[in-house]
């Protein structure tokens, strides 16, 4: 995605037609890494307030805060391109809002009720595999090095989930996270449908607005049935992090990364997320890594390095 309305070839589809320049590819991988690290913190924040803020209410306020964060920069380009976004391309934009804004984040917060932040991050590492599947179906050639890197990274994730074993016992929260991984991969695949003439911030702002509108009825029901939540530093602080950094900053960085290097290659970098989440969860929530954690993380890091290289 771009910050302007120029017609440079910035969609993931264009990136599959010809290799990205080295500088653009490097920037794309750095932006994918930025989004991955920021999202890693969001799993810790989500798990930390899971017992205080109902999932739908947390997601609704997350996107309300995100809207306020991006509005000063995005309102003008959105208004210029409102016809493109709300008429000509409303269908694909609405689908991106559904999978990337409304469903994905609600599923993550629901998972946080019954599984650990470490497991949430590790299961989300399945998302790049689904992204690669979408890319292959779309005609993108993945290459043996990238496939091998993904396989190594997935093996590391499976060993990390199973504490050194491939025998994995999944909770209800883990299953919610697998659904979230599918939703996020679908969102990333839909980004290919964004026409190059649509401004990146305008598109992001539109998905935030549509996603918040989709969540509004569920928020009203949750408020009526479960009541509100106390506005304390323990709830407002995580919501501000989720709204400003995990939503506004990270989603823009991820969308831009996909426009530069494609969903499959950005997805390889996303495999770093379980490592980041596990370290943050250990430091901030006291979640243990287990004896097999170091070896598993080495596999993940090695797989990411191999899969990201040209």
């Amino acid at each position: 995605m771009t910050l302007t309305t120029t017609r440079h070839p910035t969609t993931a589809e264009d990136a599959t037609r010809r290799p990205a320049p080295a500088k653009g590819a490097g920037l794309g991988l750095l932006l994918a890494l930025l989004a991955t690290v920021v999202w890693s913190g969001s799993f810790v924040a989500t798990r930390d307030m899971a017992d205080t803020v109902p999932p739908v209410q947390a997601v609704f306020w997350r996107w309300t805060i995100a809207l306020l964060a991006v509005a000063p920069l995005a309102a003008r380009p959105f208004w210029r391109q409102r016809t493109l976004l709300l008429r000509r391309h409303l269908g694909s934009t609405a689908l991106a809002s559904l999978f990337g804004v409304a469903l994905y984040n609600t599923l993550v917060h629901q998972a946080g009720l019954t599984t650990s932040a470490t497991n949430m991050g590790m299961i989300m590492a399945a998302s790049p595999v689904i992204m690669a599947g979408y890319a292959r179906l779309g005609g993108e050639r993945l290459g043996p090095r990238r496939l091998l890197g993904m396989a190594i990274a997935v093996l590391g994730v499976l060993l990390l989930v199973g504490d050194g074993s491939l025998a994995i016992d999944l909770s209800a929260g883990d299953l919610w996270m697998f659904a979230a991984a599918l939703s996020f991969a679908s969102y990333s695949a839909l980004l290919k449908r964004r026409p190059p003439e649509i401004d990146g911030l305008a598109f992001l702002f539109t998905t935030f607005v549509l996603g918040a509108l989709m969540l509004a009825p569920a928020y009203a029901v949750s408020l009526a049935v479960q009541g509100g939540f106390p506005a304390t530093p323990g709830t407002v602080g995580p919501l501000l992090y989720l709204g400003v950094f995990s939503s506004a900053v990270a989603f823009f960085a991820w969308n831009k990364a996909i426009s530069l290097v494609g969903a499959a290659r950005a997805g390889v970098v996303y495999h770093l997320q379980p490592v980041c989440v596990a370290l943050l969860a250990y430091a901030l929530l006291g979640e243990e890594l287990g004896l097999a954690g170091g070896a598993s993380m080495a596999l993940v890091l090695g797989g990411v390095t191999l899969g990201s290289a040209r």
Side-chain angles (χ1 to χ4, degrees):
M1 288 190 176
T2 59
L3 288 172
T4 65
T5 56
T6 55
R7 296 178 177 266
H8 293 285
T10 55
T11 61
E13 186 177 359
D14 289 337
T16 63
R17 292 195 191 109
R18 48 187 174 279
K23 184 177 179 180
L27 176 60
L29 293 175
L30 285 175
L31 289 171
L33 178 61
L34 171 63
T36 298
V37 172
V38 173
W39 277 329
S40 299
S42 75
F43 291 117
V44 177
T46 297
R47 183 66 188 92
D48 188 45
M49 64 177 183
D51 299 327
T52 309
V53 185
V56 171
Q57 294 184 38
V59 178
F60 178 81
W61 281 108
R62 168 180 182 159
W63 293 110
T64 300
I65 294 169
L67 274 172
L68 294 174
V70 302
L73 295 175
R76 182 173 294 179
F78 164 76
W79 186 252
R80 286 199 308 263
Q81 298 192 322
R82 63 190 184 279
T83 301
L84 276 175
L85 289 161
L86 299 179
R87 292 184 183 178
R88 291 176 56 187
H89 302 290
L90 178 60
S92 59
T93 306
L95 279 176
S97 302
L98 175 65
F99 286 112
V101 175
L103 276 181
Y104 165 62
N105 291 278
T106 302
L107 292 169
V108 168
H109 282 265
Q110 184 65 36
L113 296 174
T114 52
T115 192
S116 67
T118 303
N119 272 27
M120 290 165 71
M122 289 186 290
I123 292 170
M124 272 305 295
S127 191
V129 179
I130 306 171
M131 292 179 208
Y134 281 137
R136 187 66 187 91
L137 289 174
E140 181 175 343
R141 296 184 60 186
L142 302 180
R145 177 181 294 180
R146 192 181 303 175
L147 290 173
L148 177 60
M150 289 175 57
I152 293 172
V154 168
L155 175 62
V157 170
L158 292 177
L159 291 175
L160 197 57
V161 171
D163 195 20
S165 170
L166 292 179
I168 303 171
D169 184 20
L170 299 176
S171 67
D174 296 333
L175 295 176
W176 284 116
M177 279 308 302
F178 275 115
L182 176 61
S183 183
F184 182 73
S186 300
Y187 166 76
S188 297
L190 283 167
L191 292 180
K192 287 186 174 184
R193 296 180 176 272
R194 184 184 69 86
E197 64 269 20
I198 292 181
D199 180 85
L201 277 174
F203 177 83
L204 199 69
F205 181 77
T206 306
T207 60
F208 288 3
V209 170
L210 293 176
L213 290 175
M214 293 173 187
L215 289 164
Y219 171 76
V221 172
S222 175
L223 200 61
V225 174
Q226 299 173 293
F229 58 89
T232 65
T235 58
V236 175
L239 284 174
L240 287 173
Y241 177 85
L242 292 173
V244 176
F245 294 100
S246 294
S247 300
V249 175
F251 267 76
F252 179 80
W254 181 255
N255 292 1
K256 178 67 174 178
I258 286 181
S259 75
L260 290 172
V261 298
R265 199 169 178 211
V268 176
V269 178
Y270 194 80
H271 277 301
L272 287 171
Q273 183 164 264
V275 178
C276 299
V277 174
L279 293 175
L280 287 172
Y282 176 77
L284 300 176
L285 301 180
E287 295 181 3
E288 294 294 333
L289 296 177
L291 296 177
S296 301
M297 289 183 183
L299 286 173
V300 174
L301 291 170
V304 168
T305 302
L306 180 64
S308 299
R310 279 289 185 187

